[in-house]
Amino acid sequence: MSEPVRAVLVGAGQRGGDVYGAYALQNSQKIRFIAVAEPISERRDRFAAQHSIPPENRFTTWETLLEKPKLGQAALICTQDQLHTAPTIAALRAGYDVLLEKPMATTEEECRQLVAIAQEHGRQLHVCHVLRYTPHFQKLQQIVQSGVLGDLVTVAHRENVSWWHMAHSYVRGNWASVSQSCPMILAKCCHDFDILLWVLGKQCERLSSEGSRIHFRRENAPPGAPEYCLDGCPVEDSCAYYAPFIYIDLLPLWRGVRDSSKGMVRLATKAQTRSPALVKTFSKVIPTLRQISGYDGWPNSVVAVPPTKENLMVALRRGPYGRCVYHCANDVVDHQVVLMRFEGGLSVTLTMQGHSHWECRETRIQGSRAELRAFLGHGGSWIDVHEHRSDLSSHYDTSAPVGDGHGGGDFALMDAFVDSLSGERAVGLTAAHESLESHLMAFAAEQARLEGGVVTMSAFRQG
């Protein structure tokens, strides 16, 4: 049996520390973290303790880690979006193969630069397009490429961001400002552009786009609403965005979970706010309920470290996640539609919106022989195919186990990355030179939205 891949981590937050760190702990025979760079001491120390990283391999900055002689084979770059480029370049030049969180970078020029430097140094650079690794989209791609739908005519794909996720990430959170992060169509939908390219197996020829910020504006604040929710908000009992309702009660999160316990989770979430001790007792015999009684993951893990109720309340009093959603400095859109023409005259639309009741992705494809409808959500996923002539229908359950991140894509992505480093797989599904196209489409869509025109992708690719 080969030795596990030795890896260093840059950024021990929700993705790096909680997701990829958890993979390493469960698959220690495949990969082992031997160093970490993280500016927040609580996160750095927690990750180091979990992975038995010695003090000399714990760093406050990525610079101090990557200026040292190469410590292992792989580097995982999981910093904030606008901080991806510099550490990735340093890691590639230091000789590491890199797994980079999406989006690759926040500018078109930097995305191109990363691909060029990886090729120049002969290193592997993979982008975390986790959706390609889900059972759902792998089955969807298989069906489309089989030809059972006939000639593809139209595709309508929706990225439905739940109302509370929109408030957390794109109003109060790290992706609220274009200048501090990037356009929402890039941050959220580089995944979706990548999936469309991969599933359809065609290139986009031209696109246009419309979108704006309608709701999360200061003029829409309720009368008397303070800057922070806990400063005596007059509508705290009715406002859907009241911070303690989202982060302390956690009901919006658990309402979206539907599984084989046939409503048990939904009932338990209501009971949790009234009798947490009762839920904790039943969680000893019902594994699904353990997620509720002892939950300390996202989004709360972003708000406070560790996310105890006491720490959360302190953070909400003056921290960014305790602000009234109508008094934030957000400027990203809360909805955007992209209209595309793909090769062969195929018409494709991508709708991204942040006011969905359910967090989910939906896909509908019309073909000359059959129609496909697909749904991917936290509580289950499915694909239906209806044939025109025979009226026969096929149903595919593409659900991943409850709790598997990104519909089962997170750990499958790591499997593919480790396999590519060990030589068991020639190349991962999301090598950076291939992922570049989805990012260029996002930049082109934002340009089209701002300028109100049509972007021809062949010219855009040439820069």
Side-chain angles (χ1 to χ4, degrees):
M1 183 175 178
S2 60
E3 291 293 318
V5 171
R6 292 162 59 84
V8 302
L9 176 67
V10 177
Q14 191 265 328
R15 296 298 297 168
D18 297 344
V19 176
Y20 307 132
Y23 174 88
L25 292 174
Q26 295 179 35
N27 297 273
S28 58
Q29 78 282 5
K30 293 184 177 182
I31 187 170
R32 185 165 67 89
F33 284 105
I34 59 172
V36 59
E38 166 58 52
I40 299 177
S41 59
E42 292 87 353
R43 290 178 178 171
R44 182 176 64 251
D45 293 342
R46 181 184 63 180
F47 186 85
Q50 290 172 339
H51 297 269
S52 302
I53 297 174
E56 63 269 19
N57 282 355
R58 306 176 187 182
F59 304 92
T60 303
T61 67
W62 63 263
E63 291 93 340
T64 52
L65 166 58
L66 296 177
E67 70 185 10
K68 294 178 67 68
K70 182 181 172 186
L71 298 175
Q73 181 180 359
L76 280 73
I77 309 298
C78 304
T79 54
Q80 281 297 303
D81 296 353
Q82 69 276 19
L83 301 176
H84 281 180
T85 303
T88 301
I89 291 174
L92 292 170
R93 287 175 172 166
Y96 291 97
D97 294 311
V98 174
L99 180 65
L100 173 61
E101 257 304 326
K102 66 86 189 171
M104 297 165 60
T106 56
T107 70
E108 178 191 343
E109 294 77 12
E110 289 179 350
C111 289
R112 295 181 188 271
Q113 182 185 22
L114 290 176
V115 173
I117 290 177
Q119 293 175 341
E120 174 188 347
H121 290 272
R123 307 314 312 174
Q124 294 190 41
L125 175 58
H126 302 263
V127 179
C128 295
H129 281 311
V130 292
L131 295 185
R132 286 201 188 194
Y133 299 89
T134 63
H136 178 79
F137 282 112
Q138 291 194 348
K139 185 63 178 179
L140 180 56
Q141 196 252 10
Q142 176 189 339
I143 293 171
V144 170
Q145 293 301 314
S146 73
V148 69
L149 302 181
D151 293 331
L152 304 184
V153 181
T154 65
V155 178
H157 182 76
R158 295 181 63 90
E159 161 61 299
N160 300 305
V161 182
S162 65
W163 54 273
W164 65 269
H165 183 184
M166 179 76 197
H168 170 74
S169 293
Y170 302 98
V171 179
R172 291 169 167 144
N174 294 324
W175 294 271
S177 168
V178 172
S179 63
Q180 297 299 313
S181 178
C182 61
M184 187 177 172
I185 196 70
L186 173 67
K188 198 75 184 77
C189 288
C190 63
H191 273 324
D192 300 278
F193 287 120
D194 180 71
I195 280 297
L196 288 171
L197 291 164
W198 182 59
V199 167
L200 300 176
K202 299 175 181 289
Q203 293 288 303
C204 176
E205 294 180 339
R206 63 174 182 257
L207 58 78
S208 60
S209 183
E210 295 288 344
S212 64
R213 176 171 57 100
I214 289 180
H215 183 67
F216 297 105
R217 310 174 69 95
R218 186 169 289 270
E219 59 265 30
N220 290 330
E227 295 288 325
Y228 288 84
C229 292
L230 290 175
D231 284 350
C233 181
V235 294
E236 65 179 62
D237 291 333
S238 59
C239 179
Y241 303 101
Y242 183 60
F245 174 67
I246 294 176
Y247 299 110
I248 303 300
D249 296 346
L250 275 177
L251 285 182
L253 173 66
W254 294 117
R255 283 172 179 168
V257 177
R258 289 162 288 174
D259 70 343
S260 58
S261 56
K262 300 186 183 301
M264 181 63 72
V265 169
R266 191 178 293 266
L267 293 173
T269 54
K270 296 180 179 179
Q272 174 72 3
T273 61
R274 300 179 178 87
S275 181
L278 181 64
V279 174
K280 187 174 183 179
T281 298
F282 278 104
S283 70
K284 295 177 181 178
V285 293
I286 305 176
T288 302
L289 301 189
R290 294 173 195 154
Q291 300 178 74
I292 297 174
S293 62
Y295 187 76
D296 61 357
W298 183 89
N300 287 5
S301 59
V302 178
V303 179
V305 181
T308 63
K309 182 177 181 179
E310 293 74 18
N311 287 348
L312 288 169
M313 289 300 292
V314 170
L316 294 182
R317 291 197 179 279
R318 283 296 176 267
Y321 296 98
R323 294 175 296 176
C324 171
V325 293
Y326 304 103
H327 293 319
C328 294
N330 57 298
D331 60 12
V332 300
V333 302
D334 58 13
H335 71 286
Q336 188 166 347
V337 180
V338 185
L339 172 62
M340 296 162 277
R341 173 191 166 100
F342 272 61
E343 293 171 320
L346 174 61
S347 296
V348 180
T349 59
L350 166 61
T351 300
M352 172 191 74
Q353 56 89 19
H355 296 276
S356 178
H357 193 67
W358 305 113
E359 183 89 6
C360 62
R361 283 179 166 92
E362 299 172 283
T363 311
R364 187 168 181 172
I365 303 176
Q366 271 77 31
S368 60
R369 296 178 183 171
E371 175 179 290
L372 178 148
R373 298 183 183 184
F375 176 93
L376 171 68
H378 286 314
S381 307
W382 50 263
I383 299 172
D384 283 342
V385 176
H386 300 274
E387 297 182 19
H388 297 334
R389 171 63 187 254
S390 66
D391 198 33
L392 293 175
S393 63
S394 301
H395 176 80
Y396 304 92
D397 185 348
T398 57
S399 303
V402 174
D404 281 12
H406 281 101
D410 284 343
F411 277 22
L413 165 77
M414 286 295 292
D415 280 336
F417 178 60
V418 172
D419 287 348
S420 71
L421 299 185
S422 63
E424 296 182 21
R425 182 183 302 224
V427 65
L429 288 178
T430 53
H433 68 273
E434 186 174 353
S435 297
L436 177 62
E437 181 69 13
S438 63
H439 289 65
L440 294 181
M441 290 178 67
F443 289 119
E446 185 66 359
Q447 176 180 309
R449 182 185 76 86
L450 294 173
E451 298 178 356
V454 176
V455 175
T456 301
M457 286 304 301
S458 59
F460 197 87
R461 291 186 196 103
Q462 297 174 12

